Amino acid sequence: AKLTTTAASGGALPTVPGNPRTTQVGSRRVALAWDASTIAGGGNVAYEVSRNGVVIAATVTGTTYEDRGLNPSTAYTYAIRAK
């Protein structure tokens, strides 16, 4: 799986999530993980996870996500955005 990360725009901006990676890959699922983002002055950061340009999880509060129900032998591209 190809992973990219970005930070949201507007207001107090979180840092870009670091070190995106897959932690487990199965024929029908993939587990994603990344390093936490921070916001200047503190505050909570949530993440948005996209697969092939489509948001699949709008508000992830931790630094892991498991995507299930995938098609075997298919390439997927993931993006993680801090917000």
Side-chain angles (χ1 to χ4, degrees):
K2 178 182 175 187
L3 296 172
T4 59
T5 58
T6 59
S9 59
L13 299 177
T15 59
V16 173
N19 192 27
R21 58 203 178 270
T22 57
T23 58
Q24 294 181 356
V25 177
S27 63
R28 301 190 64 78
R29 67 181 184 84
V30 63
L32 310 172
W34 55 90
D35 293 345
S37 298
T38 58
I39 296 178
N44 295 324
V45 177
Y47 305 92
E48 178 183 277
V49 179
S50 299
R51 180 191 340 112
N52 296 342
V54 177
V55 174
I56 57 172
T59 305
V60 177
T61 56
T63 57
T64 61
Y65 180 79
E66 185 170 318
D67 192 15
R68 297 175 184 220
L70 302 174
N71 293 320
S73 302
T74 303
Y76 295 98
T77 299
Y78 291 89
I80 302 158
R81 183 174 73 99
K83 57 183 194 170

Short mmCIF file of all heavy atoms in Angstrom, two decimals, residues 6-67:
data_model
loop_
_atom_site.label_atom_id
_atom_site.label_comp_id
_atom_site.label_asym_id
_atom_site.label_seq_id
_atom_site.Cartn_x
_atom_site.Cartn_y
_atom_site.Cartn_z
N THR A 6 -0.76 14.45 5.07
CA THR A 6 -0.87 15.90 4.96
C THR A 6 -1.51 16.43 6.23
O THR A 6 -2.10 15.69 7.00
CB THR A 6 -1.75 16.33 3.76
OG1 THR A 6 -3.05 15.76 3.91
CG2 THR A 6 -1.16 15.90 2.43
N ALA A 7 -1.39 17.74 6.42
CA ALA A 7 -2.07 18.41 7.52
C ALA A 7 -3.20 19.25 6.95
O ALA A 7 -3.11 19.75 5.83
CB ALA A 7 -1.09 19.29 8.30
N ALA A 8 -4.26 19.41 7.72
CA ALA A 8 -5.39 20.23 7.29
C ALA A 8 -5.00 21.69 7.26
O ALA A 8 -3.99 22.11 7.84
CB ALA A 8 -6.55 20.02 8.25
N SER A 9 -5.79 22.51 6.58
CA SER A 9 -5.52 23.95 6.53
C SER A 9 -6.54 24.70 7.36
O SER A 9 -7.65 24.23 7.58
CB SER A 9 -5.55 24.43 5.07
OG SER A 9 -6.81 24.16 4.51
N GLY A 10 -6.15 25.89 7.82
CA GLY A 10 -7.05 26.75 8.58
C GLY A 10 -6.90 26.57 10.08
O GLY A 10 -6.64 25.49 10.56
N GLY A 11 -7.07 27.66 10.83
CA GLY A 11 -6.98 27.61 12.29
C GLY A 11 -5.61 27.21 12.77
O GLY A 11 -4.61 27.41 12.10
N ALA A 12 -5.55 26.65 13.98
CA ALA A 12 -4.29 26.13 14.50
C ALA A 12 -3.97 24.85 13.75
O ALA A 12 -4.72 23.88 13.81
CB ALA A 12 -4.40 25.87 16.00
N LEU A 13 -2.90 24.86 13.01
CA LEU A 13 -2.59 23.73 12.13
C LEU A 13 -1.82 22.63 12.85
O LEU A 13 -0.84 22.90 13.53
CB LEU A 13 -1.76 24.21 10.94
CG LEU A 13 -2.41 25.24 10.04
CD1 LEU A 13 -1.45 25.68 8.96
CD2 LEU A 13 -3.67 24.67 9.44
N PRO A 14 -2.26 21.40 12.68
CA PRO A 14 -1.48 20.28 13.23
C PRO A 14 -0.28 20.00 12.33
O PRO A 14 -0.28 20.34 11.15
CB PRO A 14 -2.47 19.11 13.19
CG PRO A 14 -3.41 19.45 12.09
CD PRO A 14 -3.50 20.95 12.06
N THR A 15 0.71 19.39 12.91
CA THR A 15 1.85 18.96 12.10
C THR A 15 1.42 17.78 11.22
O THR A 15 0.42 17.13 11.49
CB THR A 15 3.03 18.53 13.00
OG1 THR A 15 2.59 17.45 13.85
CG2 THR A 15 3.53 19.68 13.86
N VAL A 16 2.18 17.55 10.19
CA VAL A 16 1.90 16.43 9.30
C VAL A 16 2.17 15.12 10.03
O VAL A 16 3.20 14.99 10.69
CB VAL A 16 2.76 16.54 8.01
CG1 VAL A 16 2.60 15.30 7.14
CG2 VAL A 16 2.43 17.80 7.24
N PRO A 17 1.27 14.14 9.94
CA PRO A 17 1.54 12.85 10.57
C PRO A 17 2.82 12.24 10.00
O PRO A 17 3.05 12.30 8.80
CB PRO A 17 0.33 11.99 10.19
CG PRO A 17 -0.72 12.95 9.74
CD PRO A 17 0.00 14.16 9.24
N GLY A 18 3.64 11.69 10.86
CA GLY A 18 4.93 11.16 10.42
C GLY A 18 4.94 9.66 10.27
O GLY A 18 4.09 8.95 10.80
N ASN A 19 5.93 9.17 9.53
CA ASN A 19 6.24 7.76 9.43
C ASN A 19 5.03 6.87 9.11
O ASN A 19 4.76 5.89 9.81
CB ASN A 19 6.91 7.29 10.73
CG ASN A 19 7.52 5.92 10.61
OD1 ASN A 19 7.90 5.48 9.54
ND2 ASN A 19 7.61 5.22 11.73
N PRO A 20 4.28 7.18 8.05
CA PRO A 20 3.15 6.32 7.71
C PRO A 20 3.64 4.93 7.29
O PRO A 20 4.65 4.82 6.62
CB PRO A 20 2.48 7.05 6.55
CG PRO A 20 3.59 7.81 5.91
CD PRO A 20 4.49 8.22 7.05
N ARG A 21 2.92 3.90 7.73
CA ARG A 21 3.38 2.54 7.45
C ARG A 21 2.23 1.55 7.54
O ARG A 21 1.20 1.84 8.14
CB ARG A 21 4.48 2.15 8.44
CG ARG A 21 4.02 2.22 9.88
CD ARG A 21 5.17 2.38 10.86
NE ARG A 21 4.74 2.50 12.23
CZ ARG A 21 4.47 3.64 12.84
NH1 ARG A 21 4.53 4.79 12.17
NH2 ARG A 21 4.11 3.68 14.10
N THR A 22 2.43 0.40 6.93
CA THR A 22 1.53 -0.72 7.13
C THR A 22 2.13 -1.59 8.22
O THR A 22 3.34 -1.81 8.27
CB THR A 22 1.34 -1.54 5.84
OG1 THR A 22 2.62 -1.99 5.39
CG2 THR A 22 0.68 -0.72 4.76
N THR A 23 1.29 -2.05 9.13
CA THR A 23 1.79 -2.89 10.22
C THR A 23 1.38 -4.34 10.02
O THR A 23 2.02 -5.23 10.56
CB THR A 23 1.30 -2.39 11.59
OG1 THR A 23 -0.13 -2.35 11.59
CG2 THR A 23 1.87 -1.00 11.88
N GLN A 24 0.30 -4.57 9.28
CA GLN A 24 -0.13 -5.93 8.94
C GLN A 24 -0.82 -5.86 7.58
O GLN A 24 -1.58 -4.93 7.31
CB GLN A 24 -1.10 -6.48 9.96
CG GLN A 24 -0.50 -6.71 11.33
CD GLN A 24 -1.54 -7.28 12.29
OE1 GLN A 24 -2.70 -7.44 11.97
NE2 GLN A 24 -1.09 -7.59 13.49
N VAL A 25 -0.58 -6.84 6.76
CA VAL A 25 -1.24 -6.92 5.46
C VAL A 25 -1.77 -8.33 5.29
O VAL A 25 -1.04 -9.30 5.46
CB VAL A 25 -0.26 -6.58 4.31
CG1 VAL A 25 -0.93 -6.74 2.97
CG2 VAL A 25 0.30 -5.17 4.47
N GLY A 26 -3.05 -8.44 4.99
CA GLY A 26 -3.67 -9.73 4.70
C GLY A 26 -4.30 -9.67 3.32
O GLY A 26 -4.29 -8.63 2.66
N SER A 27 -4.87 -10.77 2.87
CA SER A 27 -5.44 -10.79 1.52
C SER A 27 -6.66 -9.88 1.41
O SER A 27 -6.97 -9.39 0.32
CB SER A 27 -5.82 -12.22 1.13
OG SER A 27 -6.83 -12.71 2.00
N ARG A 28 -7.35 -9.59 2.53
CA ARG A 28 -8.56 -8.77 2.47
C ARG A 28 -8.53 -7.60 3.46
O ARG A 28 -9.55 -6.95 3.68
CB ARG A 28 -9.79 -9.62 2.70
CG ARG A 28 -9.91 -10.74 1.63
CD ARG A 28 -11.21 -11.47 1.65
NE ARG A 28 -12.36 -10.66 1.33
CZ ARG A 28 -12.73 -10.30 0.09
NH1 ARG A 28 -12.01 -10.66 -0.93
NH2 ARG A 28 -13.82 -9.60 -0.09
N ARG A 29 -7.37 -7.32 4.05
CA ARG A 29 -7.29 -6.22 5.02
C ARG A 29 -5.87 -5.67 5.09
O ARG A 29 -4.90 -6.34 4.72
CB ARG A 29 -7.74 -6.66 6.40
CG ARG A 29 -6.81 -7.68 7.03
CD ARG A 29 -7.32 -8.12 8.39
NE ARG A 29 -6.38 -9.01 9.03
CZ ARG A 29 -5.33 -8.62 9.74
NH1 ARG A 29 -5.09 -7.34 9.94
NH2 ARG A 29 -4.51 -9.50 10.28
N VAL A 30 -5.76 -4.45 5.58
CA VAL A 30 -4.46 -3.84 5.83
C VAL A 30 -4.57 -2.98 7.09
O VAL A 30 -5.58 -2.30 7.30
CB VAL A 30 -3.96 -3.00 4.61
CG1 VAL A 30 -4.88 -1.83 4.33
CG2 VAL A 30 -2.54 -2.51 4.82
N ALA A 31 -3.57 -3.06 7.93
CA ALA A 31 -3.51 -2.23 9.13
C ALA A 31 -2.50 -1.11 8.88
O ALA A 31 -1.37 -1.37 8.48
CB ALA A 31 -3.11 -3.07 10.34
N LEU A 32 -2.94 0.12 9.11
CA LEU A 32 -2.11 1.30 8.91
C LEU A 32 -1.74 1.91 10.25
O LEU A 32 -2.52 1.83 11.21
CB LEU A 32 -2.87 2.35 8.10
CG LEU A 32 -3.54 1.87 6.81
CD1 LEU A 32 -4.41 2.98 6.23
CD2 LEU A 32 -2.49 1.43 5.82
N ALA A 33 -0.59 2.54 10.32
CA ALA A 33 -0.17 3.26 11.52
C ALA A 33 0.65 4.47 11.10
O ALA A 33 1.21 4.50 10.00
CB ALA A 33 0.65 2.35 12.43
N TRP A 34 0.73 5.46 11.97
CA TRP A 34 1.50 6.68 11.70
C TRP A 34 1.86 7.31 13.04
O TRP A 34 1.27 6.99 14.07
CB TRP A 34 0.71 7.65 10.83
CG TRP A 34 -0.64 8.00 11.39
CD1 TRP A 34 -0.96 9.03 12.23
CD2 TRP A 34 -1.86 7.28 11.19
NE1 TRP A 34 -2.29 9.00 12.55
CE2 TRP A 34 -2.87 7.95 11.92
CE3 TRP A 34 -2.21 6.15 10.46
CZ2 TRP A 34 -4.19 7.51 11.94
CZ3 TRP A 34 -3.54 5.72 10.49
CH2 TRP A 34 -4.50 6.39 11.21
N ASP A 35 2.85 8.20 13.02
CA ASP A 35 3.24 8.92 14.22
C ASP A 35 2.31 10.10 14.44
O ASP A 35 1.84 10.73 13.48
CB ASP A 35 4.69 9.40 14.12
CG ASP A 35 5.69 8.24 14.09
OD1 ASP A 35 5.29 7.10 14.44
OD2 ASP A 35 6.84 8.48 13.72
N ALA A 36 2.04 10.39 15.69
CA ALA A 36 1.07 11.43 16.05
C ALA A 36 1.47 12.82 15.58
O ALA A 36 2.66 13.17 15.55
CB ALA A 36 0.88 11.44 17.56
N SER A 37 0.47 13.61 15.24
CA SER A 37 0.64 15.02 14.94
C SER A 37 0.44 15.82 16.22
O SER A 37 -0.16 15.33 17.17
CB SER A 37 -0.40 15.48 13.91
OG SER A 37 -0.25 14.79 12.71
N THR A 38 0.91 17.04 16.22
CA THR A 38 0.70 17.94 17.35
C THR A 38 0.16 19.27 16.84
O THR A 38 0.30 19.60 15.67
CB THR A 38 2.00 18.18 18.14
OG1 THR A 38 2.97 18.74 17.25
CG2 THR A 38 2.55 16.89 18.73
N ILE A 39 -0.46 20.02 17.74
CA ILE A 39 -0.95 21.36 17.43
C ILE A 39 -0.27 22.33 18.38
O ILE A 39 -0.22 22.08 19.60
CB ILE A 39 -2.48 21.46 17.61
CG1 ILE A 39 -3.20 20.54 16.62
CG2 ILE A 39 -2.95 22.90 17.43
CD1 ILE A 39 -4.71 20.54 16.77
N ALA A 40 0.25 23.43 17.82
CA ALA A 40 0.88 24.45 18.67
C ALA A 40 -0.12 24.92 19.72
O ALA A 40 -1.28 25.19 19.41
CB ALA A 40 1.34 25.62 17.81
N GLY A 41 0.31 24.98 20.97
CA GLY A 41 -0.57 25.39 22.05
C GLY A 41 -1.40 24.25 22.62
O GLY A 41 -2.21 24.44 23.50
N GLY A 42 -1.20 23.05 22.09
CA GLY A 42 -1.92 21.88 22.59
C GLY A 42 -3.24 21.68 21.86
O GLY A 42 -3.59 22.42 20.96
N GLY A 43 -3.94 20.69 22.24
CA GLY A 43 -5.22 20.37 21.60
C GLY A 43 -5.21 18.97 21.04
O GLY A 43 -4.16 18.34 20.92
N ASN A 44 -6.38 18.50 20.71
CA ASN A 44 -6.52 17.15 20.17
C ASN A 44 -6.42 17.16 18.66
O ASN A 44 -6.92 18.06 18.00
CB ASN A 44 -7.87 16.55 20.59
CG ASN A 44 -7.97 16.37 22.09
OD1 ASN A 44 -6.99 16.03 22.74
ND2 ASN A 44 -9.14 16.58 22.64
N VAL A 45 -5.80 16.14 18.13
CA VAL A 45 -5.68 15.98 16.69
C VAL A 45 -6.48 14.74 16.28
O VAL A 45 -6.39 13.70 16.93
CB VAL A 45 -4.21 15.79 16.26
CG1 VAL A 45 -4.10 15.56 14.77
CG2 VAL A 45 -3.37 17.00 16.67
N ALA A 46 -7.26 14.88 15.24
CA ALA A 46 -7.95 13.74 14.64
C ALA A 46 -7.36 13.55 13.24
O ALA A 46 -6.69 14.44 12.71
CB ALA A 46 -9.44 13.98 14.58
N TYR A 47 -7.63 12.41 12.67
CA TYR A 47 -7.08 12.08 11.36
C TYR A 47 -8.19 11.62 10.42
O TYR A 47 -9.18 11.03 10.85
CB TYR A 47 -6.03 10.97 11.49
CG TYR A 47 -4.94 11.32 12.46
CD1 TYR A 47 -5.04 10.97 13.80
CD2 TYR A 47 -3.83 12.04 12.06
CE1 TYR A 47 -4.07 11.31 14.71
CE2 TYR A 47 -2.85 12.40 12.97
CZ TYR A 47 -2.97 12.04 14.29
OH TYR A 47 -2.01 12.39 15.18
N GLU A 48 -7.98 11.91 9.15
CA GLU A 48 -8.88 11.45 8.10
C GLU A 48 -8.10 10.48 7.23
O GLU A 48 -6.98 10.78 6.82
CB GLU A 48 -9.33 12.66 7.29
CG GLU A 48 -10.23 12.34 6.13
CD GLU A 48 -10.55 13.61 5.37
OE1 GLU A 48 -11.47 14.34 5.78
OE2 GLU A 48 -9.84 13.87 4.37
N VAL A 49 -8.66 9.31 6.98
CA VAL A 49 -7.99 8.29 6.18
C VAL A 49 -8.74 8.14 4.85
O VAL A 49 -9.96 7.98 4.84
CB VAL A 49 -7.93 6.94 6.92
CG1 VAL A 49 -7.26 5.87 6.06
CG2 VAL A 49 -7.21 7.08 8.25
N SER A 50 -7.98 8.20 3.75
CA SER A 50 -8.56 8.03 2.42
C SER A 50 -7.91 6.84 1.73
O SER A 50 -6.73 6.56 1.94
CB SER A 50 -8.32 9.27 1.56
OG SER A 50 -8.92 10.39 2.14
N ARG A 51 -8.72 6.16 0.91
CA ARG A 51 -8.21 5.08 0.06
C ARG A 51 -8.54 5.44 -1.38
O ARG A 51 -9.68 5.71 -1.71
CB ARG A 51 -8.87 3.75 0.41
CG ARG A 51 -8.36 2.61 -0.46
CD ARG A 51 -9.14 1.30 -0.39
NE ARG A 51 -9.97 1.03 0.73
CZ ARG A 51 -11.31 0.96 0.66
NH1 ARG A 51 -11.95 1.21 -0.45
NH2 ARG A 51 -12.00 0.67 1.73
N ASN A 52 -7.49 5.47 -2.21
CA ASN A 52 -7.65 5.80 -3.63
C ASN A 52 -8.44 7.09 -3.82
O ASN A 52 -9.30 7.19 -4.69
CB ASN A 52 -8.31 4.64 -4.38
CG ASN A 52 -7.44 3.40 -4.39
OD1 ASN A 52 -6.24 3.47 -4.15
ND2 ASN A 52 -8.03 2.27 -4.67
N GLY A 53 -8.18 8.09 -2.96
CA GLY A 53 -8.79 9.40 -3.09
C GLY A 53 -10.17 9.56 -2.49
O GLY A 53 -10.76 10.63 -2.55
N VAL A 54 -10.69 8.51 -1.86
CA VAL A 54 -12.02 8.55 -1.25
C VAL A 54 -11.88 8.39 0.26
O VAL A 54 -11.23 7.45 0.73
CB VAL A 54 -12.92 7.42 -1.81
CG1 VAL A 54 -14.28 7.41 -1.12
CG2 VAL A 54 -13.07 7.56 -3.31
N VAL A 55 -12.50 9.31 1.02
CA VAL A 55 -12.44 9.23 2.49
C VAL A 55 -13.16 7.97 2.95
O VAL A 55 -14.32 7.74 2.61
CB VAL A 55 -13.06 10.49 3.13
CG1 VAL A 55 -13.12 10.34 4.65
CG2 VAL A 55 -12.27 11.73 2.74
N ILE A 56 -12.45 7.16 3.73
CA ILE A 56 -13.05 5.94 4.28
C ILE A 56 -13.22 6.02 5.79
O ILE A 56 -13.94 5.22 6.38
CB ILE A 56 -12.25 4.68 3.90
CG1 ILE A 56 -10.79 4.77 4.35
CG2 ILE A 56 -12.35 4.42 2.40
CD1 ILE A 56 -9.99 3.49 4.17
N ALA A 57 -12.55 6.99 6.43
CA ALA A 57 -12.70 7.23 7.87
C ALA A 57 -12.50 8.72 8.09
O ALA A 57 -11.39 9.23 7.93
CB ALA A 57 -11.69 6.42 8.67
N ALA A 58 -13.58 9.42 8.43
CA ALA A 58 -13.53 10.88 8.54
C ALA A 58 -12.88 11.36 9.83
O ALA A 58 -12.25 12.41 9.85
CB ALA A 58 -14.93 11.46 8.42
N THR A 59 -13.02 10.60 10.91
CA THR A 59 -12.46 11.04 12.19
C THR A 59 -11.88 9.86 12.94
O THR A 59 -12.60 9.12 13.61
CB THR A 59 -13.54 11.73 13.06
OG1 THR A 59 -14.12 12.80 12.31
CG2 THR A 59 -12.93 12.30 14.34
N VAL A 60 -10.58 9.68 12.82
CA VAL A 60 -9.85 8.65 13.56
C VAL A 60 -9.12 9.37 14.68
O VAL A 60 -8.35 10.30 14.43
CB VAL A 60 -8.85 7.91 12.64
CG1 VAL A 60 -8.04 6.89 13.44
CG2 VAL A 60 -9.58 7.25 11.49
N THR A 61 -9.34 8.98 15.93
CA THR A 61 -8.74 9.69 17.05
C THR A 61 -7.39 9.12 17.48
O THR A 61 -6.66 9.78 18.20
CB THR A 61 -9.70 9.72 18.27
OG1 THR A 61 -10.04 8.37 18.61
CG2 THR A 61 -10.97 10.50 17.94
N GLY A 62 -7.07 7.93 17.05
CA GLY A 62 -5.78 7.33 17.38
C GLY A 62 -4.84 7.39 16.20
O GLY A 62 -5.08 8.10 15.22
N THR A 63 -3.77 6.63 16.27
CA THR A 63 -2.76 6.64 15.21
C THR A 63 -2.69 5.29 14.48
O THR A 63 -1.65 4.92 13.94
CB THR A 63 -1.37 7.00 15.77
OG1 THR A 63 -1.05 6.08 16.82
CG2 THR A 63 -1.36 8.42 16.31
N THR A 64 -3.80 4.57 14.47
CA THR A 64 -3.89 3.33 13.71
C THR A 64 -5.26 3.23 13.07
O THR A 64 -6.24 3.83 13.55
CB THR A 64 -3.67 2.08 14.60
OG1 THR A 64 -4.70 2.04 15.60
CG2 THR A 64 -2.30 2.09 15.24
N TYR A 65 -5.33 2.48 11.99
CA TYR A 65 -6.61 2.24 11.32
C TYR A 65 -6.49 0.92 10.56
O TYR A 65 -5.46 0.66 9.93
CB TYR A 65 -6.96 3.37 10.35
CG TYR A 65 -8.27 3.14 9.64
CD1 TYR A 65 -9.47 3.39 10.29
CD2 TYR A 65 -8.30 2.64 8.36
CE1 TYR A 65 -10.68 3.16 9.66
CE2 TYR A 65 -9.51 2.39 7.72
CZ TYR A 65 -10.71 2.65 8.38
OH TYR A 65 -11.90 2.42 7.76
N GLU A 66 -7.53 0.10 10.62
CA GLU A 66 -7.55 -1.14 9.86
C GLU A 66 -8.63 -1.06 8.80
O GLU A 66 -9.80 -0.81 9.10
CB GLU A 66 -7.79 -2.35 10.77
CG GLU A 66 -7.68 -3.66 10.01
CD GLU A 66 -7.66 -4.88 10.90
OE1 GLU A 66 -6.99 -4.84 11.94
OE2 GLU A 66 -8.30 -5.87 10.53
N ASP A 67 -8.24 -1.27 7.55
CA ASP A 67 -9.16 -1.27 6.42
C ASP A 67 -9.45 -2.71 6.05
O ASP A 67 -8.53 -3.49 5.79
CB ASP A 67 -8.54 -0.51 5.25
CG ASP A 67 -9.53 -0.22 4.14
OD1 ASP A 67 -10.75 -0.34 4.37
OD2 ASP A 67 -9.08 0.16 3.05
#
